[in-house]
Amino acid sequence: MAHQQIKFYQTGTFTVGNRLLDQQLRTVQATADRSNSLDSGHRACQGCGEALGARFAIDAAMRATDNQLIATNATGCLEVFTTPSPESAWRIPWIHSLFGNAASVATGVAAAMRVKGRSEVRVIAQGGDGGTTDIGFGCLSGMFERNDDVLYICYDNQAYMNTGVQRSSATPGAARTATTQPIGDQPGADFGQGKNVPLIAMAHDIPYVATASVHDLHDLEAKIIKAMALHGSRYVQIFVPCPLGWGAHPQDTIKIARMAVECGLYPLFEAEHGEITNATKIRSRVDVTEYLKIQRRFAHVFKNPDQLAKIQAIADANIQRFELLSTVGNGQ
Amino acid sequence: MLKQIEGSRAVAEAVALCRPEVICAYPITPQTHIVEDLGVRVKSGRLQPCEFINVESEFAALSVAIGSAAAGARSYTATASQGLLYMAEAVYNASGLGLPIVMTVGNRAIGAPINIWNDQTDSMSMRDAGWIQLYAESNQEAVDLHIQAFRIAEAISLPVMVCMDGFILTHAYERVDVPNQEQTDKFLPAFEPRQVLDPAAPKSIGAMVGPEAFTEVRYLAHHKQMQALSFIPEIAEEFKAVFGREAGGLVATYAIDDAETVVVTLGSVIGTMQEVIDDMRSEGLRIGAVSIRAFRPFPLAALQPTLENAKRVVVFEKCLAVGLGGILASNVRMALRGRAMPVYSVIGGLGGRPITQSSLRRLFTKASNDDLEGLHFLDLNKDVVNRALEREESIRRSGSIAENILRDIGLVAAAKTT
């Protein structure tokens, strides 16, 4: 059934829920027969956005491929908290090789499946933002350029969390990390020019690129399922708040993710062959301060109006660039 | 079938006979013709089923092989020099994961200064990466070792590096007896992996191992290499039975029975040495040689009896552990512990410097007279070195050593002509 945006929130929490939907429209997570590919008992922190994102994404991909899935994993939180030997939380064939090579290992797995005539088996590579946008970027771009038949999922928590919250090229300006301390005239991370890997992925003209967020499960699942229906290189980047690294309450993970999207800092969009085909409209726009004030990594921003203005300007630019606001008469 | 063929292309034929299923390569840093030739075979349909993947770096090349081997496909790649260092992290990873990848290293120097010519610094830098390392004496042996390498790798689930001297072997045209498909199939059964990524039986590979088990895992890696010490000669015997010629094994000897001076080396230089040894023996000098064919695992026990009657040992190698001396020499000394006799470490052929018969003859004469320093550099131009040291002594901003030496040599040469 075609994906359609759910037009209502559950009261109070603003969570996009299932309960008022027909059975067929409910999420994979809401079904009793979901694969539980990332099983309970792993060692992620309370409120871990990455654990949620991985669970949502892989279960959806398992549904889409009739459980014919192999995943490769970059070094990082997801790898460490799921596979402290001899335990493994994965119920799928899974391999971890190195920090920077998840895309290439996936290319190898896909090549092996092709040479063995097992076209039904599909391959996913996954990693955090550090393993994707920094150290794994060469392998990722190579995979895109060759259009290898792999879906790469980046769980973006905007820093190297596993090693103690150090800056990555996905760390936003002003954010506090262990290597971008909130001291000096420009506290936190430098603003720089940023590194928007979804846009870079699009520049490779690959069949499918999408951004998603753990706060919108329907949208996330729909994007993964769509990605698995296609062949060639595909890239999905999922926004996954990290309570520990961001200095946030574990119960606020979904709220922070929703705020990031609703303030315009994290646009959700899809692109096919280099062209944007869909951007999720902001439903209830909030000021960036609503998003920033519930994260200690941005606490110093409130004493620094310049930084606050810069962050708001980034959100405003996103809203314009991706046309995130509904135009009058187009329904709200 | 006898062919007059370039070393790289002969190796490509041998690899193709092994029916690899995934070949991945970054074609440069530096390049040989091996993967180019294999690419043609795959694309023309002569080598099928096989996936040939051009990747963006050496790091990616071995990473693709890690993925394909873990998914149960016979996997091959080739590299050398800077490329081997660029993939270093994946080199350790492939052996740690126990993946039976076969990789050719066309031995070349490591910069800086940048140098594209032959020595063995590249593969020696990976000697402790957990791979089995075989060294070819000739192109015939390079061909034969590749066929044995797949067999060894898959039998014990460890990756194998086949090292052959860059240019001297990889680019040299020689007569090579290339095996046929029937023989190769008889010798090399289909790949049956010990671990495989398969949705029908989901397994996690590459989990984190802490202090509670890491020592045991590393011990087992060592244990497997110790097992390979008996397995490698067995495979060489079996190879001889099928193909009718000797190749591989742990060590090979040349005229050592009554030799007082025994030269230990590895790689293609043994060919030149054998000719020098023949000449010197005809003049009455009792000299012989031992060629190390498997450097990892290091054949301590197999080496010891070959040096039993020697009065002195000369270890000759094309690599240098800066700050120590010979790498092979250090290993050979382990085989000689408890023996009181001179062991001379000789470094030669660095960055492609020719190893001539006359230089070797001078070296062996000095060694047999025990007139050699413990660490000797073959054909070292001490004048150039001393001038460089003087420059550094007298001028603070003396500049780049490499460029100064080139200018120095150029100036001296120019002065001579005027």
Side-chain angles (χ1 to χ4, degrees):
Chain A
M1 189 164 296
H3 171 65
Q4 58 186 98
Q5 196 175 358
I6 309 305
K7 293 286 186 188
F8 45 81
Y9 291 131
Q10 280 182 218
T11 45
T13 64
F14 291 99
T15 303
V16 180
N18 279 304
R19 279 185 285 170
L20 301 178
L21 291 177
D22 292 340
Q23 285 288 347
Q24 310 95 295
L25 285 175
R26 294 188 185 180
T27 57
V28 175
Q29 284 302 310
T31 60
D33 65 344
R34 68 175 186 231
S35 57
N36 281 329
S37 302
L38 174 51
D39 212 343
S40 57
H42 60 68
R43 300 180 183 186
C45 307
Q46 243 188 6
C48 174
E50 188 172 35
L52 272 186
R55 175 186 176 82
F56 293 168
I58 301 299
D59 277 351
M62 284 286 274
R63 166 74 63 87
T65 61
D66 199 19
N67 301 334
Q68 298 300 302
L69 194 68
I70 296 175
T72 72
N73 210 125
T75 309
C77 268
L78 183 61
E79 170 258 328
V80 170
F81 76 66
T82 59
T83 56
S85 181
E87 298 162 6
S88 174
W90 296 102
R91 291 179 173 275
I92 55 170
W94 177 94
I95 184 170
H96 159 248
S97 171
L98 293 167
F99 201 176
N101 70 355
S104 298
V105 174
T107 291
V109 174
M113 291 303 114
R114 204 160 48 240
V115 80
K116 290 179 177 299
R118 299 190 64 180
S119 57
E120 79 285 3
V121 180
R122 307 296 303 280
V123 184
I124 283 180
Q126 51 185 354
D129 51 284
T132 303
T133 72
D134 284 346
I135 197 167
F137 191 67
C139 288
L140 181 69
S141 175
M143 185 196 100
F144 288 160
E145 169 267 313
R146 293 185 300 269
N147 201 23
D148 295 330
D149 191 12
V150 174
L151 166 62
Y152 192 103
I153 302 175
C154 170
Y155 303 104
D156 180 11
N157 56 21
Q158 303 191 327
Y160 292 94
M161 298 314 187
N162 183 47
T163 45
V165 196
Q166 294 85 11
R167 174 201 183 273
S168 79
S169 59
T171 300
R176 174 201 70 187
T177 70
T179 52
T180 57
Q181 293 292 343
I183 49 177
D185 293 342
Q186 295 293 319
D190 288 340
F191 277 82
Q193 290 297 317
K195 185 171 183 180
N196 193 321
V197 173
L199 293 182
I200 298 171
M202 283 169 57
H204 291 75
D205 283 356
I206 57 174
Y208 187 69
V209 175
T211 56
S213 163
V214 284
H215 84 279
D216 193 341
L217 177 57
H218 284 274
D219 181 68
L220 189 160
E221 287 188 351
K223 284 169 174 168
I224 296 292
I225 289 165
K226 185 169 182 179
M228 294 317 291
L230 301 167
H231 284 269
S233 272
R234 291 141 286 142
Y235 180 76
V236 174
Q237 183 172 300
I238 304 175
F239 188 71
V240 291
C242 172
L244 187 73
W246 295 5
H249 290 297
Q251 70 267 28
D252 283 345
T253 294
I254 298 297
K255 182 179 175 185
I256 290 170
R258 188 173 67 249
M259 293 290 180
V261 172
E262 296 291 78
C263 76
L265 282 175
Y266 214 87
L268 301 187
F269 62 93
E270 294 177 282
E272 293 177 37
H273 300 287
E275 299 293 332
I276 290 181
T277 53
N278 171 50
T280 305
K281 301 292 183 198
I282 289 171
R283 298 183 66 178
S284 175
R285 188 180 179 185
V286 295
D287 205 71
V288 292
T289 54
E290 297 298 306
Y291 166 69
L292 301 173
K293 74 182 183 191
I294 48 179
Q295 306 174 54
R296 284 195 52 78
R297 64 172 172 159
F298 291 116
H300 53 276
V301 167
F302 292 92
K303 294 179 207 147
N304 195 324
D306 279 1
Q307 287 192 319
L308 202 53
K310 272 186 190 164
I311 295 171
Q312 186 62 57
I314 291 168
D316 293 345
N318 281 339
I319 287 169
Q320 198 163 19
R321 179 176 196 169
F322 295 96
E323 297 173 13
L324 299 178
L325 291 180
S326 297
T327 48
V328 178
N330 199 20
Q332 180 80 20
Chain B
M1 186 181 149
L2 286 175
K3 287 185 177 178
Q4 187 71 16
I5 188 170
E6 192 202 40
S8 291
R9 296 193 189 280
V11 166
E13 286 210 27
V15 170
L17 285 169
C18 295
R19 303 186 188 277
E21 293 169 295
V22 175
I23 297 169
C24 38
Y26 181 69
I28 314 295
T29 67
Q31 164 261 21
T32 69
H33 297 133
I34 301 172
V35 291
E36 296 172 24
D37 193 293
L38 286 166
V40 172
R41 287 165 193 274
V42 174
K43 204 162 186 186
S44 66
R46 281 186 287 150
L47 174 53
Q48 283 295 338
C50 183
E51 293 283 326
F52 183 86
I53 303 168
N54 280 294
V55 293
E56 75 286 350
S57 76
E58 305 279 358
F59 176 67
L62 191 51
S63 298
V64 169
I66 286 169
S68 57
R74 184 172 284 165
S75 304
Y76 171 83
T77 187
T79 187
S81 188
Q82 310 294 137
L84 181 62
L85 294 203
Y86 196 66
M87 67 164 67
E89 193 187 9
V91 174
Y92 277 78
N93 191 250
S95 60
L97 291 173
L99 297 172
I101 299 160
V102 171
M103 175 162 74
T104 310
V105 173
N107 286 116
R108 302 208 206 182
I110 298 286
I114 186 170
N115 170 297
I116 62 164
W117 292 279
N118 166 241
D119 69 31
Q120 292 164 340
T121 308
D122 51 2
S123 59
M124 279 295 168
S125 76
M126 290 295 127
R127 66 189 180 276
D128 299 324
W131 288 52
I132 286 174
Q133 280 196 342
L134 309 177
Y135 284 78
E137 294 179 6
S138 65
N139 282 341
Q140 181 66 64
E141 201 185 24
V143 162
D144 297 345
L145 285 182
H146 278 86
I147 294 168
Q148 294 188 23
F150 281 103
R151 182 75 195 280
I152 295 166
E154 290 169 13
I156 61 176
S157 251
L158 274 185
V160 176
M161 206 179 281
V162 182
C163 307
M164 58 190 291
D165 283 314
F167 293 113
I168 293 169
L169 293 182
T170 57
H171 289 58
Y173 281 74
E174 280 188 338
R175 195 181 75 157
V176 174
D177 189 354
V178 179
N180 64 38
Q181 191 66 61
E182 198 183 331
Q183 283 174 311
T184 312
D185 288 346
K186 189 177 165 196
F187 178 77
L188 181 65
F191 174 32
E192 183 56 53
R194 276 192 187 274
Q195 51 182 353
V196 67
L197 295 166
D198 186 353
K203 291 274 182 286
S204 297
I205 299 176
M208 184 169 219
V209 173
E212 70 285 353
F214 198 76
T215 303
E216 285 69 24
V217 173
R218 297 310 295 161
Y219 175 81
L220 284 169
H222 179 67
H223 182 74
K224 271 173 140 186
Q225 290 242 350
M226 293 301 102
Q227 284 182 316
L229 282 173
S230 54
F231 192 65
I232 290 169
E234 282 169 32
I235 288 293
E237 281 300 313
E238 213 180 300
F239 183 88
K240 190 181 172 188
V242 175
F243 297 90
R245 65 174 167 272
E246 278 188 41
L250 299 172
V251 297
T253 59
Y254 190 77
I256 59 161
D257 286 346
D258 63 344
E260 295 177 339
T261 303
V262 175
V263 184
V264 181
T265 192
L266 77 182
S268 66
V269 73
I270 190 71
T272 316
M273 283 186 178
Q274 285 169 352
E275 290 184 30
V276 176
I277 287 168
D278 285 349
D279 285 352
M280 295 182 87
R281 286 191 82 88
S282 69
E283 294 157 17
L285 192 75
R286 286 157 72 176
I287 183 168
V290 176
S291 168
I292 304 287
R293 286 179 172 174
F295 183 68
R296 284 293 182 269
F298 191 74
L300 281 176
L303 185 59
Q304 274 157 357
T306 68
L307 304 177
E308 196 128 59
N309 302 321
K311 288 190 174 160
R312 65 189 65 80
V313 172
V314 180
V315 184
F316 187 96
E317 58 196 299
K318 296 180 185 176
C319 55
L320 168 66
V322 177
L324 174 66
I327 297 168
L328 177 61
S330 305
N331 286 254
V332 170
R333 282 195 177 103
M334 278 184 74
L336 293 170
R337 59 183 178 267
R339 300 267 312 269
M341 70 163 145
V343 180
Y344 303 108
S345 174
V346 182
I347 314 295
L350 294 185
R353 178 163 296 185
I355 300 165
T356 63
Q357 291 199 13
S358 57
S359 292
L360 287 179
R361 174 180 269 272
R362 271 197 305 278
L363 174 76
F364 295 161
T365 305
K366 285 180 96 174
S368 55
N369 293 328
D370 286 320
D371 180 25
L372 205 60
E373 55 276 56
L375 175 62
H376 178 81
F377 290 79
L378 189 74
D379 296 339
L380 178 72
N381 187 334
K382 286 206 171 133
D383 293 341
V384 168
V385 169
N386 287 335
R387 282 197 296 273
L389 291 172
E390 274 167 33
R391 267 194 303 276
E392 295 209 341
E393 188 84 357
S394 57
I395 314 166
R396 174 63 215 166
R397 190 168 287 188
S398 51
S400 152
I401 292 173
E403 280 76 356
N404 280 338
I405 286 178
L406 285 177
R407 197 175 302 120
D408 184 356
I409 294 168
L411 283 176
V412 170
K416 273 184 190 159
T417 57
T418 52

